Amino acid sequence: MKHLRRTLAVLLCLNLACTASAASAATKKPGKTFTEVPTIKFTYVPETSLESGGMKNIDISASLPGFLNMYLLDQSGNIVLTIAENQEIHSNATSFDVYAVDDNGDPLEPGLYTVSADMVSQYGVPSKTITKDTNIAESQDKETAAAAAASRKAAASGGTTASASETGKTSSSSTSSTSSTGTATKTASSSSKATAAPKATATPVPSEEMQYTEGTYAMGDEGLLIGVGVSDAAAQTDAGYWGLTADASDAEIWAALTRTMMGVDVGESESAYIYNSPDSGRKKLGTVSGISQGLNVIKERDDGWALVEAFRNEDGAFVRGYIKSDKLRVVEPNPNYGIVIDKDAQTLTVYKDGARLGSCKVSTGLPTPKYPHRETPAGEFILVTRRGSYEYYGMGYTKYTIRINGSYYLAEVPTTKKNGSKFLEMPDDLGAKATRGTVCIAHDASTDGGINAEWIWNMTDDNKKVKVLIFDDKPRTDVPVSTSK
C-alpha cells in the first residue's frame, strides 16, 4: 500500500511539475535545458550510532530543486518508516531529523536497515533511487526511549506534549533559497490531553530576544545610500507599496495591490543576489527569491544593472543595491483580490475590488539571534505554488499551504497529524510572532468578514497571482544581530 502511495506521489509531482513548466514556458531562457535528470546523494547517514527510539540526522544533497521521497526499509524491503514523502528540497544539502521509530511511533527493533531515497525535479524529471545501509543499535536507556516514543504517539493522536524537532534544514547557496528553517526544538501541544501516556522531557526553547543594530551603508553613484538597513525607501513618482506604511488609506493600499510588480526571473525556490556595487570586487548584500518576491526598481542603468531595494531573505533586513537587469521580470497581479499582512498588528486583511472584506489574526516568524532567517520578510509578493497539506517542521501538518516566498508560506495553524482536526499550541499564539517564518492563519473563521485559512485557499483557487503586501514592524534602518556561524 505504501509503495502504491509512493508511486502516486511521484505521478502527481510529474503532473504538477509539467503543468507548471508549460505555464512558464514563455519565460524560459533560450538554450536552457529542463530535461536534466536530477542526482541525489547521501552526505551523512549514521551507520552505527543510531539507537532504537533515538534520533539522528540524515543529510542528503540534490543537483536540482524538486520533491523528495525517503524511507527506512527492513531487510525484506518493506517500508517501516516514512522519513519524507513528496517533500520539497532545494539544490543543496538538506538535513532531516530521523527518529528510530516506525510510522506508529514504536521504537524499531535493533538490526540492519536501509535508507532509500528518490526524487522528482521541479521540471518533472525523476531521479534514480539511491540506498544506504544503517544499523540501529539497542537503546542504552530503554526507559527514556520508551517514554519518548509514547509521548510522540500521544502527540500524533492529539494527546500530551512532546519535544519535536524541525526537519528540512536547508543550507544557503548562490542559486537556491536561503530562507530555510533551522534545527532548534520546540514543544508541541494540543487542546486534547492524554493521561495514559507518560511525558517525555521536552527540550526547553531558550527565550532569546532578537537584538538590532544600525545598518551599514555608503553613498552610491546615484546619490542614494547603498547597503543594508538604509534610512528609507527611495523617493519616486510611483513607488507603490514601497512608499506606504500599514496605516495608508484603502485607496492607496488597493493601488499598490494591483500595481505591476517587478520580480526576479529564477525559480520560485531559488534566489538571486543584490550587490553593493555593479563594479568588479562587489560584495553581496543579501538574496531575494524568484518569481514571487517583488523589488522596488529605482533605476535601470545603461550598463546592464538595475538599482533596487527589497527586504532580504537572510534576516528580513531592508537592503538597497544592484542586481543584473536581465534577472528582472514583470509580474501582473490579480486585478480583483489582494492581501495585506501587518507584522506589527499581526493581522491579515483581504481586499476585493478596492474594498476591504475583513481581517483575521495571524502569527508570523519569530527570529532569534541563532536563527534570524525565521523573520518573515516584509515586502510585496505574489502567491504561487499551492501545497495543500504540508509537514510543519516535524511538529504536525499545516493545511491550505500556499507558497508566499522561497521557503515561507501562508498556511493554517498546524494539526497533530495529516488532514487532522486537532491543533497544536499555535492558536494561542495567533496575534503574536511565534512561527519559523510561515504566516499561520486561524482555523476558525474571524468575526470580521469570516476570514480563515480555508477561505483564503478557496479564494486563491479561483484567483491566481494574488498580491500580498507585508508591512514591517521595525524601522528600515534596523538590522538583526546574528550569533549563528
Side-chain angles (χ1 to χ4, degrees), residues 313-324:
N313 289 323
E314 286 77 3
D315 53 14
F318 186 66
V319 298
R320 181 181 296 144
Y322 300 89
I323 192 170
K324 292 287 288 185

Side-chain angles (χ1 to χ4, degrees), residues 293-369:
Q293 185 171 6
L295 307 173
N296 182 28
V297 179
I298 302 168
K299 179 181 180 180
E300 290 199 57
R301 297 160 49 111
D302 295 333
D303 59 359
W305 288 84
L307 176 60
V308 302
E309 52 193 13
F311 293 89
R312 68 183 182 186
N313 289 323
E314 286 77 3
D315 53 14
F318 186 66
V319 298
R320 181 181 296 144
Y322 300 89
I323 192 170
K324 292 287 288 185
S325 296
D326 61 7
K327 290 287 187 184
L328 299 178
R329 170 185 178 181
V330 175
V331 182
E332 295 293 341
N334 187 282
N336 303 118
Y337 282 90
I339 295 172
V340 174
I341 295 170
D342 183 349
K343 291 203 303 185
D344 188 43
Q346 290 290 298
T347 57
L348 179 151
T349 303
V350 179
Y351 287 81
K352 179 183 180 183
D353 298 330
R356 181 185 176 282
L357 282 185
S359 66
C360 65
K361 289 183 178 181
V362 296
S363 181
T364 63
L366 177 64
T368 68

Side-chain angles (χ1 to χ4, degrees), residues 1-14 40 67-73 77-79 82 84-86 115-120 127-131:
M1 186 65 183
K2 289 190 176 181
H3 288 290
L4 176 60
R5 181 175 60 184
R6 174 182 174 185
T7 303
L8 291 173
V10 171
L11 291 174
L12 177 60
C13 285
L14 283 166
I40 52 178
F67 302 91
L68 177 75
N69 298 305
M70 185 157 56
Y71 306 95
L72 190 66
L73 312 177
N78 299 314
I79 297 174
T82 302
E85 193 166 58
N86 192 24
V115 182
S116 172
D118 63 82
M119 69 170 288
V120 175
S127 73
K128 293 182 179 179
T129 299
I130 61 171
T131 59

Side-chain angles (χ1 to χ4, degrees), residues 116-449:
S116 172
D118 63 82
M119 69 170 288
V120 175
S121 79
Q122 63 181 356
Y123 307 116
V125 182
S127 73
K128 293 182 179 179
T129 299
I130 61 171
T131 59
K132 180 76 172 180
D133 287 341
T134 182
N135 185 66
I136 295 179
E138 187 169 352
S139 174
Q140 299 300 306
D141 189 345
K142 295 181 180 180
E143 184 177 347
T144 299
S151 183
R152 283 192 295 270
K153 289 176 68 175
S157 61
T160 187
T161 60
S163 174
S165 275
E166 175 180 332
T167 60
K169 179 185 176 185
T170 307
S171 306
S172 62
S173 74
S174 59
T175 58
S176 59
S177 173
T178 58
S179 57
S180 59
T181 56
T183 55
T185 56
K186 182 176 174 70
T187 301
S189 66
S190 77
S191 57
S192 175
K193 303 292 182 181
T195 56
K199 287 188 178 183
T201 302
T203 303
V205 180
S207 56
E208 300 177 282
E209 184 174 344
M210 179 62 76
Q211 302 297 315
Y212 293 87
T213 185
E214 185 77 6
T216 56
Y217 36 81
M219 189 66 69
D221 295 340
E222 284 77 18
L224 294 172
L225 295 175
I226 306 300
V228 182
V230 297
S231 57
D232 204 353
Q236 293 170 277
T237 303
D238 180 18
Y241 159 85
W242 302 94
L244 302 179
T245 58
D247 59 358
S249 68
D250 286 346
E252 290 173 313
I253 292 290
W254 182 248
L257 284 168
T258 53
R259 175 179 179 260
T260 297
M261 190 184 87
M262 193 68 76
V264 180
D265 193 15
V266 296
E268 65 181 71
S269 61
E270 297 181 332
S271 303
Y273 287 113
I274 294 177
Y275 296 90
N276 68 339
S277 170
D279 302 325
S280 60
R282 54 186 171 268
K283 296 181 179 179
K284 301 165 184 174
L285 297 177
T287 59
V288 287
S289 296
I291 299 180
S292 63
Q293 185 171 6
L295 307 173
N296 182 28
V297 179
I298 302 168
K299 179 181 180 180
E300 290 199 57
R301 297 160 49 111
D302 295 333
D303 59 359
W305 288 84
L307 176 60
V308 302
E309 52 193 13
F311 293 89
R312 68 183 182 186
N313 289 323
E314 286 77 3
D315 53 14
F318 186 66
V319 298
R320 181 181 296 144
Y322 300 89
I323 192 170
K324 292 287 288 185
S325 296
D326 61 7
K327 290 287 187 184
L328 299 178
R329 170 185 178 181
V330 175
V331 182
E332 295 293 341
N334 187 282
N336 303 118
Y337 282 90
I339 295 172
V340 174
I341 295 170
D342 183 349
K343 291 203 303 185
D344 188 43
Q346 290 290 298
T347 57
L348 179 151
T349 303
V350 179
Y351 287 81
K352 179 183 180 183
D353 298 330
R356 181 185 176 282
L357 282 185
S359 66
C360 65
K361 289 183 178 181
V362 296
S363 181
T364 63
L366 177 64
T368 68
K370 188 174 181 180
Y371 302 113
H373 55 262
R374 291 180 180 175
E375 179 75 64
T376 305
E380 59 175 356
F381 307 91
I382 296 289
L383 291 182
V384 281
T385 303
R386 295 158 61 83
R387 298 299 303 275
S389 292
Y390 189 63
E391 187 173 6
Y392 187 73
Y393 314 138
M395 296 167 55
Y397 295 85
T398 58
K399 293 190 287 187
Y400 311 120
T401 308
I402 312 170
R403 186 197 298 278
I404 188 173
N405 176 44
S407 294
Y408 302 105
Y409 298 87
L410 292 182
E412 187 177 66
V413 291
T415 59
T416 53
K417 56 185 178 180
K418 203 167 189 176
N419 296 322
S421 58
K422 295 182 179 179
F423 295 88
L424 299 170
E425 75 224 26
M426 194 62 71
D428 296 333
D429 293 327
L430 289 173
K433 287 186 170 185
T435 78
R436 300 181 183 185
T438 290
V439 179
C440 281
I441 308 168
H443 167 74
D444 297 325
S446 69
T447 56
D448 180 10

Side-chain angles (χ1 to χ4, degrees), residues 14-64:
L14 283 166
N15 182 52
L16 290 173
C18 290
T19 302
S21 180
S24 62
T27 65
K28 291 177 184 175
K29 295 179 175 62
K32 187 172 182 180
T33 176
F34 291 88
T35 59
E36 180 182 348
V37 176
T39 57
I40 52 178
K41 64 179 181 179
F42 293 113
T43 55
Y44 175 72
V45 174
E47 295 182 358
T48 59
S49 58
L50 182 55
E51 295 182 356
S52 176
M55 186 276 288
K56 289 289 181 181
N57 284 28
I58 289 181
D59 299 343
I60 195 167
S61 65
S63 62
L64 293 169

